[in-house]
Amino acid sequence: MILFAGSTVLLYSYNKYAENFEIETFETHRLLHIKNPWRGSGDTRYSYALVDKGRPVPELPKGARVIRTPVERIIIMATVYLGPIQSLDMYDQLVGAAHLELSNDPFLQGLVDSGKVQAIQSGASLDLESILLLRPDLILSFSTGESLYDTHPKLERANLPVVLTSGYMEADPLARSEWIKAIASFVNKEAQAEIIFADIADRYEKLKELTSKVVNRPTVFANAPFAGVWHLPGGQSYNSRAFNDAGASYLWADDSSLGGVPLDFEVILIKAANADIWINPGSYETLDALLGHDERFTAFRAFREAQVFNNIKRVNKNGGNDMWERGINHPDEVLADLIKIFHPELLPEHEFIYYEQLK
């Protein structure tokens, strides 16, 4: 259903899950509105006017950045955009990508090897000259709100067509997936995106229904110390929501944070010593590797009983993890894995896609 709002038409009837973007369609253009671009960004919003090539640029709201569509030369500044690119088959438009060393996409690697896609950033250094030579008509990027890490100010100063997205700021796994609609609007594949996302959401909701009446919810804690700090997912975070949907009792579900919560080892041990399951312990692939980092992990019952699971099944030799490419776009597959971990009796035939039990 399409809703009419004055002289505008909302491209999609509504965003069922995503809260950080909205698209309005006018007779002469579309407006993509982005909010909540980084943690603590307050009322900061960005608007992008998607104007068909060949049409004159209409009168636009102040500050709206014009993107001519359909775009033909795309650069992505993070591998997380590969999920929608794979689903929408946008490889022909891709000309450059940052952090390719972290990619798990073999097809993309083939395009790089053949010279059709160029690496434009590795580590913190931004190759602005290479980006300019690629003549992109769209650069998909994001912001952390930290000037030390953000590249979009440099791209904007070079008058490059950068668009900030804020999918990573969504708290619902399906909300992050729903951003495929925003990506599709740049290549006029909205109808295809609608079908893809509807199928993903339908599968997710049906899986979620499986756990809605489970009585025994295993207790779970997550992550592992990195550089001396243990960040747990906040109680309102994407991960916390996924654990709950999969029928687990996340021990920090009552926390009010959307992002990571730094806590001392001892604080976590007091609460999680007898937890049933430990999940997502960093990049560790074995129990011995975990133990090598800190012998105190034996104080956790989940470690002693080998109830430790990590999303490392689809990690390539370079460390690229498909969990952060296809998995972000297909939270239904991730949810199926989590249900298999927490309630294996509900999905006896399911084979892990992203997760492994550490041995």
Side-chain angles (χ1 to χ4, degrees):
M1 180 176 66
I2 297 177
L3 299 180
F4 290 85
S7 61
T8 70
V9 180
L10 297 181
L11 181 59
Y12 301 104
S13 54
Y14 55 92
N15 285 345
K16 191 172 181 180
Y17 304 92
E19 296 181 346
N20 291 340
F21 81 89
E22 180 184 69
I23 303 175
E24 293 180 282
T25 295
F26 300 79
E27 289 184 0
T28 54
H29 64 287
R30 290 161 289 168
L31 281 178
L32 170 62
H33 304 288
I34 307 293
K35 68 176 184 179
N36 198 24
W38 60 83
R39 209 169 306 287
S41 57
D43 295 330
T44 302
R45 294 170 181 258
Y46 294 89
S47 293
Y48 303 96
L50 282 57
V51 183
D52 288 348
K53 293 174 179 174
R55 281 181 176 269
V57 176
E59 185 176 350
L60 298 171
K62 184 179 180 181
R65 183 77 180 267
V66 175
I67 303 292
R68 289 291 194 170
T69 58
V71 299
E72 300 176 77
R73 302 180 65 80
I74 301 173
I75 289 176
I76 56 174
M77 299 303 294
T79 57
V80 71
Y81 297 110
L82 287 172
I85 283 174
Q86 293 163 0
S87 294
L88 295 168
D89 191 17
M90 293 167 57
Y91 287 108
D92 284 346
Q93 288 82 31
L94 195 62
V95 296
H99 307 300
L100 280 169
E101 73 279 7
L102 300 177
S103 171
N104 190 274
D105 187 332
F107 188 78
L108 173 61
Q109 190 56 53
L111 294 176
V112 174
D113 293 341
S114 67
K116 293 181 178 177
V117 174
Q118 185 171 331
I120 49 87
Q121 183 182 12
S122 179
S125 62
L126 182 66
D127 188 350
L128 194 57
E129 184 177 357
S130 293
I131 293 175
L132 288 165
L133 290 173
L134 286 173
R135 298 177 289 104
D137 49 13
L138 173 65
I139 300 177
L140 292 171
S141 188
F142 66 97
S143 174
T144 65
E146 298 287 343
S147 58
L148 181 64
Y149 304 109
D150 286 346
T151 56
H152 68 93
K154 292 181 180 177
L155 299 171
E156 290 173 343
R157 284 196 295 272
N159 201 31
L160 286 161
V162 58
V163 169
L164 286 185
T165 66
S166 55
Y168 86 97
M169 291 294 294
E170 300 279 4
D172 189 303
L174 281 172
R176 294 183 74 170
S177 177
E178 196 168 16
W179 272 78
I180 191 174
K181 297 179 178 180
I183 304 300
S185 66
F186 293 106
V187 289
N188 295 348
K189 289 190 174 183
E190 296 91 339
Q192 186 177 343
E194 188 79 80
I195 292 170
I196 291 170
F197 177 70
D199 286 344
I200 291 170
D202 182 61
R203 286 193 294 270
Y204 190 100
E205 293 292 358
K206 286 177 178 174
L207 286 166
K208 181 179 170 183
E209 180 64 25
L210 287 177
T211 69
S212 62
K213 296 179 181 177
V214 296
V215 175
N216 297 316
R217 290 178 167 256
T219 51
V220 60
F221 66 108
N223 298 355
F226 180 76
V229 181
W230 193 330
H231 286 88
L232 285 162
Q236 305 305 308
S237 69
Y238 168 95
N239 281 314
S240 178
R241 185 75 60 88
F243 299 155
N244 180 70
D245 291 347
S249 176
Y250 178 47
L251 291 174
W252 276 264
D254 292 338
D255 177 85
S256 61
S257 304
L258 283 167
V261 181
L263 292 174
D264 292 335
F265 185 101
E266 290 75 14
V267 173
I268 295 173
L269 180 59
I270 289 171
K271 198 166 186 174
N274 289 308
D276 297 307
I277 293 172
W278 183 2
I279 200 162
N280 301 344
S283 59
Y284 296 101
E285 298 181 353
T286 67
L287 294 175
D288 282 345
L290 264 175
L291 195 59
H293 178 80
D294 195 327
E295 292 184 351
R296 292 178 297 172
F297 289 150
T298 57
F300 293 101
R301 181 169 69 88
F303 178 89
R304 296 194 302 274
E305 297 181 358
Q307 292 301 301
V308 185
F309 297 83
N310 208 354
N311 51 22
I312 55 173
K313 187 171 182 179
R314 299 176 73 155
V315 176
N316 64 17
K317 63 180 181 181
N318 299 321
N321 193 338
D322 204 24
M323 175 78 175
W324 311 119
E325 296 174 15
R326 180 180 173 86
I328 292 295
N329 199 42
H330 289 80
D332 53 321
E333 296 177 348
V334 178
L335 183 63
D337 274 11
L338 293 174
I339 291 174
K340 181 74 173 184
I341 292 169
F342 302 141
H343 301 281
E345 73 282 1
L346 294 178
L347 292 175
E349 304 299 322
H350 178 71
E351 298 287 339
F352 284 136
I353 300 172
Y354 303 99
Y355 276 86
E356 288 183 357
Q357 183 172 11
L358 300 196
K359 298 177 181 177

